[in-house]
Amino acid sequence: MSTPTLTERQQKTLSFLQEYLQTQGLPPTLREIADALGFSSHSSAQACVESLVRKGVLERSPQHRGLRLPAGLASSLRGPAANELPLIGRVAAGSPILAEENIESQLEVDPALFRPRADYLLRVVGLSMRDAGILDGDLLAVHKTAVATDGQIVVARLDDEVTVKRLKHDRNRLLLLPENPDFEPIEVDPRRHAFAIEGRYVGIIRRT
C-alpha cells in the first residue's frame, strides 16, 4: 500500500495515533490528540482525523473510540519482517530516514523487545550523548514518531543533518541538548532551520 501525500500536521497526527495504538492498545480521544499536538480545539483535531480517513491512512471501526490503521499500512509500518529491523547508517541529505539508500542491512532483532516497539536501528556517530550511555558505534533503537515530550532523547532532523539529542523546550525556544560537556546545545530557530522529529530513543544495542 502506498501512503498518500500528507501535510506536516496530518503526518504528526498519524504518527501520534500509531504510537498511541501500539502502546495503549486503543485509540486516543480527540482531547488527547488536541493536547498532545497543540491543536487549538477539539474540532481542529476532528478535522485532521477526518482528513486522514478520507486519504485512506486511517479507518473507523464500530468500537468505542473507533479508529484503527488499515491492515496494509499497519504491516508496512511494522517493517519487513516480524523479527528484523532496518539498520540506518549515514543519512543522505534530504532523503527520508528509512529511504532504501540509507539502509545498510536488516538485523535480526525483535522490535517488541523495546517499549514502545522499535521501528529501526540508527548507527551512532560521535560522543555527544556519552553521558547518557550512548557511545560511538552503538546501534540506537528508535521508535518512529513525529512527536516527543520534553526531556526525551530524540532523533531529529535539522536542515539536512540528522542528530541524536535530548529535547528541551525553554520558554519560546527549542533546544537539542548533548549529554557531554564538550558539546554545545543546539538552539532551533524555526525561522532559519527546517526541523522535524524523526523518532524517539527506546534502547541501545552495543556490539562488544
Side-chain angles (χ1 to χ4, degrees), residues 1-188:
M1 175 180 176
S2 60
T3 304
T5 302
L6 303 179
T7 66
E8 182 180 358
R9 172 173 281 194
Q10 290 167 351
Q11 183 59 61
K12 286 184 177 181
T13 303
L14 181 62
S15 296
F16 175 72
L17 284 162
Q18 178 198 355
E19 179 174 354
Y20 198 102
L21 284 162
Q22 288 177 344
T23 58
Q24 304 298 322
L26 76 170
T29 64
L30 290 175
R31 176 184 293 275
E32 288 167 330
I33 295 171
D35 290 347
L37 300 176
F39 285 105
S40 58
S41 66
H42 296 173
S43 60
S44 297
Q46 174 73 35
C48 193
V49 167
E50 293 296 339
S51 67
L52 293 173
V53 172
R54 286 195 301 272
K55 289 188 174 184
V57 295
L58 200 61
E59 291 179 348
R60 293 201 173 279
S61 62
Q63 291 86 5
H64 176 58
R65 300 196 195 181
L67 293 172
R68 65 190 177 197
L69 294 173
L73 178 62
S75 61
S76 69
L77 290 170
R78 282 195 293 269
N83 292 312
E84 283 189 354
L85 286 173
L87 172 60
I88 308 300
R90 184 173 295 277
V91 178
S95 70
I97 202 163
L98 286 170
E100 185 175 351
E101 63 265 28
N102 299 329
I103 298 175
E104 291 184 358
S105 61
Q106 299 284 343
L107 295 188
E108 194 169 329
V109 178
D110 186 353
L113 291 173
F114 307 95
R115 289 289 184 273
R117 65 185 290 127
D119 293 295
Y120 60 91
L121 302 171
L122 179 68
R123 189 184 302 281
V124 176
V125 178
L127 293 170
S128 67
M129 298 299 288
R130 179 195 63 194
D131 295 346
I134 300 172
L135 306 179
D136 185 61
D138 284 350
L139 304 183
L140 199 76
V142 183
H143 175 70
K144 182 175 171 57
T145 177
V147 293
T149 58
D150 207 48
Q152 291 182 327
I153 295 175
V154 299
V155 176
R157 185 186 296 272
L158 190 62
D159 295 327
D160 285 332
E161 296 294 324
V162 170
T163 185
V164 178
K165 294 291 183 291
R166 193 177 296 279
L167 185 69
K168 180 175 177 59
H169 294 88
D170 183 16
R171 296 184 182 178
N172 295 322
R173 298 189 306 165
L174 181 64
L175 299 173
L176 298 175
L177 302 180
E179 292 282 350
N180 183 335
D182 294 334
F183 293 79
E184 295 293 328
I186 300 170
E187 182 173 351
V188 179

